[in-house]
Amino acid sequence: TVGSLISTTTNTSYFLGNVGIGTTGPGKLLNVYSSANDEQILIRAQGGSATTYPAIQVDRASTARSATYRMSTNGTDEWVLGIPYRGGGVSSNFQIGTTHSDSDAKLTITTTGNVGIGTTNPVAPLQVSKSVVGMAIPLYLENSATDAVGNGTEILFKGATNQTAGIRSAFITDTANGYLAFDIRKVGVITEAMRIDNQGNVGIGTTTPTNKLTITDSSASQLTLSADAGVSQWAFRNAGGNLYFATTTVAGTATSS
């Protein structure tokens, strides 16, 4: 230790100066050093109560100040975790960054639970931002399994209980070709609604489009044209190799062909 140990009449003691554990030259109020390949500090709570837990508390004097943990190499900060300094501005957001400055944050969690990557002010549960000239890639999805037909990635959309839709991409025919598909929930079942294949062909109602646009429906018109919602339509249908043109009611019922 460097300094003096002071004892008081209230059963407390304190040091005047820096305290070193494992070092004779402490550079901070508490400096713990060990050359062993092991943890230097162990905190353990002993007790049977469910509310007994070990903790380290970092307290700040006001919301305009910082409260952080620093990870450094030879005194140079590499990562800082906690509530950073915002130039005197009020903040209680948790951040991970490379300095104590709010502007250097890489990840932010707001007090409302929003998570921001690349932004310090996320307005949704997850917001990913990247500033580049040209095309940015703020999100990269990867299936690390060996490339094979059928292997790919998927984004799911879900309500409280059931999936409502999805977007899938996978290899098709071989690992040199892929497709992009859009799924939708229909009558309680997730069904593919549209696909773009490796030739750029778009299929609606079919997984094997043969032209730039292939629309398949075995029981109704494949294409309808309407000037606006609530206006009668023109309907086009291929049924059994025959082409039908019909005018329809607003509800889509054929009136002539």
Side-chain angles (χ1 to χ4, degrees), residues 129-242:
S129 176
K130 186 176 181 63
S131 177
V132 298
V133 176
M135 295 295 294
I137 306 177
L139 183 63
Y140 190 100
L141 303 181
E142 177 183 359
N143 182 344
S144 58
T146 301
D147 289 351
V149 174
N151 287 356
T153 55
E154 183 172 9
I155 299 175
L156 300 180
F157 301 90
K158 183 179 177 294
T161 303
N162 297 309
Q163 179 185 342
T164 58
I167 302 174
R168 295 177 289 116
S169 179
F171 292 107
I172 183 174
T173 66
D174 55 44
T175 57
N177 298 286
Y179 71 86
L180 180 67
F182 299 83
D183 298 334
I184 200 73
R185 188 177 186 84
K186 180 179 181 181
V187 196
V189 178
I190 295 296
T191 305
E192 183 172 313
M194 186 177 76
R195 172 179 295 217
I196 304 173
D197 70 8
N198 59 304
Q199 300 296 323
N201 295 337
V202 177
I204 299 176
T206 177
T207 60
T208 56
T210 55
N211 297 287
K212 290 305 177 185
L213 177 61
T214 302
I215 304 174
T216 300
D217 195 312
S218 60
S219 60
S221 300
Q222 288 86 22
L223 180 66
T224 58
L225 301 179
S226 177
D228 203 349
V231 179
S232 298
Q233 307 167 349
W234 271 97
F236 301 82
R237 183 183 181 193
N238 175 2
N242 296 321

Side-chain angles (χ1 to χ4, degrees), residues 99-155:
T99 71
H100 279 84
S101 174
D102 172 77
S103 62
D104 291 322
K106 308 305 179 185
L107 181 144
T108 298
I109 303 176
T110 69
T111 54
T112 59
N114 291 343
V115 177
I117 300 175
T119 176
T120 58
N121 295 294
V123 296
L126 176 61
Q127 181 175 340
V128 182
S129 176
K130 186 176 181 63
S131 177
V132 298
V133 176
M135 295 295 294
I137 306 177
L139 183 63
Y140 190 100
L141 303 181
E142 177 183 359
N143 182 344
S144 58
T146 301
D147 289 351
V149 174
N151 287 356
T153 55
E154 183 172 9
I155 299 175

